[in-house]
Amino acid sequence: MSRLFKLQFLGPLALFLATLSAELAVRALAYAPSSELLWFVNLKMFGIFQRSYYVLSDVVSIQSFQLIGIALPIFLLACYGLAARRRLPLAVASNLGLGYAALLLLCWQSPGAPTTQASLGSIAVPSGAGFYVLAGILGTSLLSFAVSHLLYLRAARSEI
């Protein structure tokens, strides 16, 4: 098994761990609502998951849907692809992981007053710890996505 094949697993793994951590932070905050550290973690670090929860709750009203309905199936599909050494399930998980990471980024865009950047376009991104969490998720998902496409192009080129 090549290193590039294993590198595809990084995106779904990071996405699952971040979603699991956000869900655990919410559960811990329910048990200790006076903890300043838990409020910081919940609002600043994992605020992207809170906003996407509000968007998704209009469509699906299942508790912990982001973890159970989105991140866990993507992670399990990636685990199956890695364990069975199959390219397709791992590539599908990688692509779905990038799609979910893009959904997290789009959910962060607030309908309120946008900030004007040098490009004269409006974009809202989290600041501080939330930015690092979002950048880590997007970076690993994009890397995983690119590696899966590189491996498929390499396989197609070898068959030609």
Side-chain angles (χ1 to χ4, degrees):
M1 198 175 339
S2 72
R3 287 185 305 170
L4 286 178
F5 183 77
K6 292 178 185 176
L7 197 57
Q8 291 180 81
F9 186 70
L10 187 62
L13 176 66
L15 187 66
F16 175 72
L17 290 178
T19 308
L20 179 65
S21 299
E23 192 64 36
L24 289 175
V26 168
R27 300 285 177 228
L29 189 60
Y31 288 112
S34 62
S35 172
E36 291 181 21
L37 177 66
L38 290 176
W39 277 106
F40 170 78
V41 167
N42 191 28
L43 294 177
K44 297 295 183 185
M45 287 183 69
F46 298 120
I48 55 174
F49 292 100
Q50 187 177 27
R51 288 197 182 188
S52 63
Y53 168 76
Y54 293 135
V55 171
L56 290 174
S57 65
D58 292 339
V59 180
V60 179
S61 61
I62 299 172
Q63 180 100 7
S64 304
F65 178 72
Q66 291 185 79
L67 178 65
I68 298 169
I70 299 175
L72 184 63
I74 291 172
F75 179 68
L76 291 177
L77 186 63
C79 286
Y80 168 72
L82 189 65
R85 297 181 184 195
R86 302 214 182 249
R87 280 190 251 162
L88 185 61
L90 196 53
V92 168
S94 172
N95 287 304
L96 289 174
L98 181 64
Y100 181 51
L103 174 76
L104 290 174
L105 179 65
L106 289 176
C107 287
W108 187 264
Q109 302 300 314
S110 63
T115 60
T116 304
Q117 305 293 322
S119 66
L120 301 178
S122 62
I123 186 168
V125 290
S127 60
F131 173 74
Y132 297 125
V133 171
L134 183 60
I137 292 170
L138 280 173
T140 56
S141 296
L142 189 59
L143 176 68
S144 177
F145 175 82
V147 167
S148 70
H149 282 77
L150 176 72
L151 289 175
Y152 269 101
L153 289 174
R154 191 185 281 180
R157 191 169 133 207
S158 69
E159 286 184 16
I160 293 175

